[in-house]
Structure formats: C-alpha cells, structure tokens
C-alpha cells in the first residue's frame, strides 16, 4: 500500500524517481519552452482507481483524483491520493499535490506537496523563477519545520504534476513509433532528465468498467531502485483524441505490480471520440 499510493502520483506525471541517480546525466534536448493549452478544460476532473497485484489477485486499494481550475493568468492543478477507509487501519495514506502554472507558457510558478503515509510526513514547497532559472525550496516534515534552499535550474523546467498536463499538449501526430518525448522535471531538490517513448496506437484497448478505446501507447523511462526492478517496462495508454487523457498505467514493481485505471472523467474539453462504439 505504501509503495503504490506513494508513487502513483509520480507515475501519472510520466516519470519516476525513488531517490537513486537518474538513468542518464546527459541533458535531454527539448526546444519546446512553451505550449498552448489545447487538451484540457479549466474545470476538468479525472479519478483513477489504484490496484495492487499480489499472487495473481488484483486488490483495489485507493484512488487518485486530479482537478484543474483557472485563476486569472494561471491554471492550478491538484492531485489527491487516498487509501480506502477499509485500509486506513493497516496503512493510511493522504497525499496532496498542487501546481500553479503560467497559462501563457504552461510552466510552473509554484509547487506544493504534503504527504501523510502512516508515520511518514513530508512537506515540500517550491517557488520557480523560470526567467532567472532558479528554484527556492522549503523542505521539511510540515509547514512549520522547513529548511530553505535555492537551486539553479535549466530553462523550461516542470514539476512532477505540471508535466502531466504539459505533455498532453504535445502534437503526437508529429512523432514516429519509437521516438521519445523529452522531459525535464525538478523534484526532490534535483533535476531529472528522462524520456517517454511513443509506441504507436492500440486500436481496441479495454479499460475496466469504461469500455474499449483507441489509445496511444507509451513507455515511460523509470529509475531502478527499491521500488522498480532493473529493466522494468512501464506501460501507459492515453486516449487517442484531442483530450489525450491517461486511461491506464501498468507497471511491475519490486514486489508484485500496480495499475491505475481511469474510473470517472468530468468536464472534458472535447468529446471522448477515442471510445470504440459497440
């Protein structure tokens, strides 16, 4: 439960780190320093059900909810991860992530993470100066007990939540099968340059309780460590329509495997045209 809910929000952001060095220290080349929002509405809401597989049994364990709201010149993204009440006595998880981005560039100006997982607590607040290429981090166990640090950034830096919405606005039609989307994310006081490989379109992907969809398939790069094994292949399916919403994520971990399945969607910007009609 701890592994699954702790990291699923990072997985939804299309990359993973567990405190080990990134796969490559070489910079990821990406000339995209701004994108227009063409994929999500100002009040979109997506809910995912999280499952853990142990000895061939898929156990529903919690949910992650993503919401968007528009405030003046900014979008605000929130993500909340919780365990079901039946699991709270075993291991209670209440995770909250929030990112505020500039509507004109789609890059973050601030990020907040508040984590409650059993007896573990983490508070992480970041202020981004994109023009000055700096980040100010407030890191501790809670808002009243933090250490302030300043870090130099590369240009065009995302946080672990904003990157999910940014890459949804990529024009995937320009990518060939096997090509990769470059990602640079500042998180845990470091920059992680990773890639997401595009693997083409699945014409008839079944999503539990929602039906079948035409879905673009991706393979995000992950970092091996105590959660992911070496050579782990994570799989991500995204709706092949203008919304480009994640439908399903599957990944083995060091013990068992996990998946996040889209449960409900609200206030999408476009019709979900990728759904395969019966």
């Amino acid at each position: 439960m701890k592994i699954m809910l702790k990291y699923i929000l990072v997985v939804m952001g299309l990359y993973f780190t567990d405190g080990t060095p990134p796969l490559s220290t070489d910079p990821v080349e990406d000339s995209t320093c701004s994108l227009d929002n063409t994929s999500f509405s100002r009040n979109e809401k997506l809910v995912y059900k999280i499952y853990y597989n142990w000895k061939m049994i898929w156990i529903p364990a919690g949910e992650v909810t993503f919401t968007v709201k528009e405030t003046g010149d900014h979008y605000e993204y929130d993500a909340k991860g919780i365990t079901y009440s039946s699991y709270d006595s075993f291991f209670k998880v209440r995770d909250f992530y929030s990112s505020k981005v500039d509507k004109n560039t789609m890059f973050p100006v601030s990020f907040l993470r508040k984590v409650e997982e059993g007896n573990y607590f983490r508070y992480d607040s970041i202020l981004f100066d994109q023009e000055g290429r700096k980040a100010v981090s407030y890191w501790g166990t809670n808002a009243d007990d933090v250490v302030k640090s300043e870090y130099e950034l590369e240009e065009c830096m995302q946080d672990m939540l904003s990157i999910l919405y940014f890459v949804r606005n990529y024009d995937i039609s320009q990518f060939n099968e096997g090509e990769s989307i470059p990602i640079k994310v500042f998180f845990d006081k470091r920059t992680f340059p990773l890639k997401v490989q595009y693997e083409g379109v699945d014409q008839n992907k079944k999503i539990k309780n929602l039906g079948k969809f035409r879905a673009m398939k991706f393979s995000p790069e992950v970092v091996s460590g105590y959660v992911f094994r070496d050579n782990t292949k994570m799989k991500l399916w995204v709706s092949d329509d203008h919304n480009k919403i994640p439908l399903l994520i599957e990944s083995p971990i060091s013990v068992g495997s996990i998946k996040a399945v889209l449960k409900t969607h609200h206030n999408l910007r476009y019709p979900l045209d990728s759904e395969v009609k019966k």
Side-chain angles (χ1 to χ4, degrees), residues 19 75 80 103 112 148 170 262 266:
Y75 289 118
K80 298 179 182 179
K103 287 168 58 177
L112 176 64
K148 179 182 177 180
Y170 269 87
L262 181 65
H266 308 274

Side-chain angles (χ1 to χ4, degrees), residues 167-178:
V167 298
R168 284 174 59 186
N169 289 291
Y170 269 87
D171 184 1
I172 303 300
S173 67
Q174 302 301 312
F175 285 78
N176 296 315
E177 189 171 333

